[in-house]
């Protein structure tokens, strides 16, 4: 069997590696990566050791690459390279960002090579469990722009049957009939129409240490606190986030606890409240540091980051400030309660 994984982020790569070194270890696994983060040589070499073949294309990092002008400049070359890469038939195709134009063409190209291929949606962080942000842009902005996109891609660019969205959310392309999730059964109702397949804890942990070998240099002080931030632009009220994080830092320091913090790999800003704490490299996933600290007594604190659910899956003590800073909804609360993340409803409760 031959599998193709199409990824954009380090979180997605972690799951692709988990499956490739887990249940599909005896199969051929290929990777197309659109870099939405800063890719270093160390990780590049590790990907080449895990996957049979790897094609790397430019993604949305840095943020200047997000504009449609930049995308349309690189798409012709992307599609040419992708078409050449898909020179063999694949049995299973795992996609995440199914609204991206290159990924829609990957569906078409792989179908031509194997009409019986199985198409699967791979989890993208917290997205199948709750919406981290309600902001949308580009052709996803509203019903009119989505109609324009449909006419453009389905009819004018010839995607036809491969443009089959039955919803306005990631993974709603009906061609992706299965979904592989780290917390099966706890997904939002939107995904209940798909066949849900679970990624086991064993696969996840093995994938983690394969992608991020536990290095001594990444060990943190036992009984310290690690604050995990999502992209700052997803928060509704950044001033409230700043104020609450400042209170958390003050309380931790009063208890003589060392405070580390980790920004999202695409973050280009900072919080003043964290300047007196120890920043971990923002260009790698927080899971890199989890790998080196599995089994150590650490407290992971955040709001609604993917890093929180992954920390819980690895056995760390995890707290979410989402209700205390006005960043929660019923999906967030329900999901975190189901997986055992402590919900802080008021900053005084944290005290």
């Amino acid at each position: 069997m031959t599998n193709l994984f199409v990824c954009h982020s380090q979180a997605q790569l972690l799951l692709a590696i988990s499956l490739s070194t887990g249940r599909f270890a005896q199969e051929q696994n290929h990777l197309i990566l659109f870099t939405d983060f800063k890719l270093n040589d160390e990780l590049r070499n590790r990907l080449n050791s895990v996957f049979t073949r790897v094609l790397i294309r430019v993604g949305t990092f840095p943020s200047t690459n997000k504009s449609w002008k930049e995308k349309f400049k690189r798409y012709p070359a992307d599609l040419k390279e992708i078409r050449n890469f898909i020179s063999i038939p694949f049995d299973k195709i795992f996609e995440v960002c199914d609204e991206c134009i290159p990924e829609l063409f990957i569906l078409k190209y792989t179908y031509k090579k194997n009409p019986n291929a199985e198409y699967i949606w791979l989890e993208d962080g917290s997205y199948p469990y709750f919406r981290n942000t309600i902001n949308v842009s580009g052709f996803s902005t509203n019903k009119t722009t989505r109609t324009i996109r449909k006419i453009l891609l389905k009819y004018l660019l010839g995607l036809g049957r491969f443009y089959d969205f039955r919803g306005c959310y990631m993974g709603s392309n009906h061609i992706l009939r299965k979904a592989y999730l780290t917390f099966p059964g706890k997904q939002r109702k939107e995904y209940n129409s798909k066949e849900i397949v679970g990624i086991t804890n064993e696969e996840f942990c093995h994938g983690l240490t394969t992608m991020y070998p536990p290095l001594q240099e990444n060990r943190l002080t036992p009984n310290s606190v690690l604050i995990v931030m999502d992209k700052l632009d997803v928060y509704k009220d950044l001033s409230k986030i700043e104020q609450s994080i400042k209170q958390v830092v003050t309380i931790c320091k009063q208890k003589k606890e060392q405070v580390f913090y980790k920004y999202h790999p695409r973050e280009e800003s900072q919080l003043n409240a964290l300047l007196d704490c120890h920043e971990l490299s923002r260009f790698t996933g927080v899971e890199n540091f989890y790998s080196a600290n599995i089994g150590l007594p650490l407290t992971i604190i955040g709001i609604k980051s993917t890093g929180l659910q992954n920390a819980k899956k690895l056995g760390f003590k995890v707290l979410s400030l989402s209700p205390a800073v006005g960043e929660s909804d019923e999906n967030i609360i329900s999901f975190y309660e189901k997986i055992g993340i402590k919900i802080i409803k008021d900053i005084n409760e944290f005290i």
Side-chain angles (χ1 to χ4, degrees), residues 82-300:
I82 290 168
R83 191 184 297 110
N84 291 336
F85 189 81
I86 303 175
S87 58
I88 59 173
F90 292 98
D91 299 292
K92 290 186 289 291
I93 295 91
F94 292 82
E95 285 199 349
V96 183
C97 305
D98 56 324
E99 290 187 345
C100 292
I101 292 175
E103 296 206 25
L104 287 166
F105 277 96
I106 287 171
L107 296 177
K108 183 175 182 178
Y109 297 157
T110 52
Y111 181 84
K112 286 184 176 180
K113 291 292 182 179
N114 180 13
N116 297 315
E118 185 177 9
Y119 294 97
I120 301 161
W121 188 68
L122 186 63
E123 173 183 294
D124 185 36
S126 59
Y127 195 90
Y129 311 108
F130 60 83
R131 289 290 299 272
N132 202 3
T133 175
I134 59 174
N135 296 328
V136 292
S137 59
F139 284 117
S140 297
T141 304
N142 53 57
K143 185 176 181 179
T144 300
T145 55
R146 287 194 292 270
T147 299
I148 293 173
R149 182 186 63 187
K150 180 177 181 179
I151 294 171
L152 175 65
L153 298 179
K154 184 176 179 72
Y155 302 110
L156 297 183
L157 293 184
L159 281 169
R161 72 167 78 184
F162 306 101
Y163 191 98
D164 187 14
F165 291 92
R166 303 187 186 182
C168 55
Y169 54 90
M170 197 187 315
S172 62
N173 194 325
H174 190 64
I175 293 173
L176 307 174
R177 298 184 183 276
K178 286 185 178 180
Y180 276 57
L181 306 180
T182 54
F183 291 96
K186 297 176 174 61
Q187 68 278 359
R188 288 187 282 148
K189 61 182 180 180
E190 286 87 341
Y191 296 93
N192 289 343
S193 61
K194 296 184 184 295
E195 180 184 342
I196 304 299
V197 181
I199 298 171
T200 67
N201 288 358
E202 291 74 19
E203 286 176 318
F204 186 84
C205 289
H206 187 262
L208 175 73
T209 53
T210 300
M211 182 171 174
Y212 299 122
L215 303 176
Q216 184 65 34
E217 63 197 62
N218 289 337
R219 296 268 291 207
L220 306 184
T221 307
N223 297 307
S224 59
V225 170
L226 172 55
I227 297 176
V228 179
M229 302 301 300
D230 211 320
K231 279 282 274 115
L232 298 182
D233 58 9
V234 308
Y235 299 128
K236 302 170 188 173
D237 187 347
L238 195 55
S239 63
K240 192 168 186 176
I241 301 292
E242 181 93 51
Q243 180 183 8
S244 298
I245 293 298
K246 184 177 181 179
Q247 290 177 280
V248 167
V249 170
T250 299
I251 294 165
C252 292
K253 288 189 173 182
Q254 287 173 349
K255 295 179 64 179
K256 308 299 183 184
E257 294 174 336
Q258 200 162 6
V259 180
F260 299 86
Y261 65 97
K262 175 71 178 67
Y263 284 121
H264 190 280
R266 293 198 307 275
E267 187 55 67
E268 297 173 292
S269 302
Q270 63 182 13
L271 289 178
N272 291 330
L274 291 169
L275 292 180
D276 292 333
C277 303
H278 305 278
E279 180 177 2
L280 305 179
S281 172
R282 67 177 67 189
F283 297 118
T284 186
V286 68
E287 290 78 13
N288 198 351
F289 299 95
Y290 291 166
S291 176
N293 293 277
I294 292 176
L296 291 184
L298 298 178
T299 299
I300 313 298

Side-chain angles (χ1 to χ4, degrees), residues 48-67:
N48 285 324
S49 70
V50 170
F51 295 97
T52 307
R53 290 186 307 152
V54 177
L55 174 64
I56 297 175
R57 304 301 297 171
V58 171
T60 60
F61 183 87
S63 57
T64 52
N65 289 337
K66 290 183 178 180
S67 71

